[in-house]
Amino acid sequence: MITVQHITKTFRVARRNAGMKEAVKALWKREYDTIHALNDISFTIGDGEMVGYIGPNGAGKSSTIKVLSGILTPDTGQCDINGRCPWKDRTSHVRDIGVVFGQRSQLWWDVPVIDSFELLRDIYRVPQNEYQRNFDELVELLNLSQIVKTPTRQLSLGQRMRCEIAASLLHSPKILFLDEPTIGLDAVSKLAVRSFIKELNQRRGTTVILTTHDMQDIEALTSRVILIGKGKILLDGALESLKKQFSGGKILRIEYQGSTPELPKGLSWQERGENHGVLLLAPELLSVSEAISSLSAQVELRDVSVEDTPIDEIVANLYREYRI
């Protein structure tokens, strides 16, 4: 169980204008801005949940993960994770968590990946039988057998990220923090990582907190979303509820023969070409069947497809709603 209560964190950031004169001036007198990275945030996450933690750049996502993992000490507030305070009981706390930062590595750059795994086994004091069981399982599920003997620096980004995820799970953590785990990955690698994370949650009941700008990751893995902006929690709810509230409607793609049809109330053109177009449907005003009936009464419909609003557009609507 993760309980966060009224956490705040501020940073002082030095600022100066460009130029040698300003650089010399800053040697004696520096100007600082105070950045409120986290501003009185509170939430609770149950055991075995998979939660998407989303927001624009600079919203406070990574700062939250660093507080939860014990890397940062907040200015005020309390945090309890499985009966421990992350920054006060850091040594015992890290045995129960795994952390993957998409732009940082926990693997040693010039040695084979398997040597990094062995070193992490010693750091976490993982019993040999448990380590071997986890190693064999992770190598199989993440398809690492051909790359664990390769130095980290010679791996592609997708290969390295799969190794990073394996490294974070060798000690059987109860909680996994994923900060941009699929950044820069190709489509095949993304699908492999998503499939593994989902199976990990189902098989071991691992709690997963995922921060990412890739909304397909959120849609594929999580059922709950927490939205943070300017250091504040703005929204916390089920992903399906957010889709209904902020989707803006369904999308109809049509190909037809005949003159341009007149649209009933609740249906509007999003894109329009010669004998084809994209329509936006407001479900609260018009059902899909009613829309198709209205169109087919006026033109010959050659092809119709109905789609939900893309998750990226839904999140963009969220950002506009909360002005972040």
Side-chain angles (χ1 to χ4, degrees), residues 1-4 43-51 64-70 79-86 92-100 106 124 164-179 196-197 200-201 204-211:
M1 175 73 77
I2 300 173
T3 303
V4 174
F43 57 82
T44 299
I45 297 174
D47 293 337
E49 271 197 275
M50 296 182 73
V51 178
T64 304
I65 296 300
K66 289 175 182 176
V67 168
L68 295 179
S69 57
C79 179
D80 184 284
I81 301 181
N82 293 333
R84 301 188 184 100
C85 177
S92 55
H93 174 61
V94 296
R95 294 195 182 104
D96 280 346
I97 67 170
V99 184
V100 177
Q106 60 187 316
Y124 285 104
E164 294 282 356
I165 292 172
S168 69
L169 295 168
L170 288 169
H171 58 293
S172 304
K174 298 176 182 176
I175 301 170
L176 182 61
F177 298 114
L178 299 173
D179 190 7
F196 170 74
I197 294 169
L200 175 75
N201 173 258
R204 297 187 182 180
T206 305
T207 303
V208 178
I209 300 177
L210 171 66
T211 74

Side-chain angles (χ1 to χ4, degrees), residues 52-224:
Y53 196 57
I54 64 173
N57 291 327
K61 303 185 300 297
S62 294
S63 295
T64 304
I65 296 300
K66 289 175 182 176
V67 168
L68 295 179
S69 57
I71 296 172
L72 285 181
T73 299
D75 301 332
T76 62
Q78 297 178 337
C79 179
D80 184 284
I81 301 181
N82 293 333
R84 301 188 184 100
C85 177
W87 56 91
K88 292 180 180 178
D89 305 306
R90 187 173 178 184
T91 301
S92 55
H93 174 61
V94 296
R95 294 195 182 104
D96 280 346
I97 67 170
V99 184
V100 177
F101 289 106
Q103 301 185 58
R104 294 176 178 83
S105 179
Q106 60 187 316
L107 303 174
W108 279 259
W109 201 242
D110 292 311
V111 301
V113 171
I114 195 169
D115 284 351
S116 293
F117 286 0
E118 295 277 348
L119 185 55
L120 289 168
R121 179 200 64 192
D122 294 337
I123 290 173
Y124 285 104
R125 300 176 184 176
V126 183
Q128 181 60 38
N129 59 343
E130 180 183 344
Y131 167 79
Q132 194 61 51
R133 182 176 67 250
N134 288 342
F135 176 84
D136 292 341
E137 180 182 13
L138 292 166
V139 165
E140 179 183 355
L141 291 175
L142 288 169
N143 193 24
L144 304 179
S145 58
Q146 300 300 314
I147 59 178
V148 290
K149 297 179 181 179
T150 306
T152 302
R153 60 182 170 78
Q154 294 181 348
L155 299 177
S156 69
L157 180 58
Q159 291 172 330
R160 183 175 67 80
M161 286 310 303
R162 282 186 281 136
C163 291
E164 294 282 356
I165 292 172
S168 69
L169 295 168
L170 288 169
H171 58 293
S172 304
K174 298 176 182 176
I175 301 170
L176 182 61
F177 298 114
L178 299 173
D179 190 7
E180 300 284 1
T182 62
I183 187 170
L185 301 192
D186 59 58
V188 174
S189 296
K190 282 187 179 183
L191 290 175
V193 168
R194 289 171 189 164
S195 176
F196 170 74
I197 294 169
K198 188 178 294 186
E199 186 170 348
L200 175 75
N201 173 258
Q202 294 172 349
R203 183 182 295 190
R204 297 187 182 180
T206 305
T207 303
V208 178
I209 300 177
L210 171 66
T211 74
T212 180
H213 291 295
D214 190 330
M215 292 303 112
Q216 279 70 43
D217 286 348
I218 297 293
E219 190 172 31
L221 295 172
T222 68
S223 58
R224 175 185 168 194

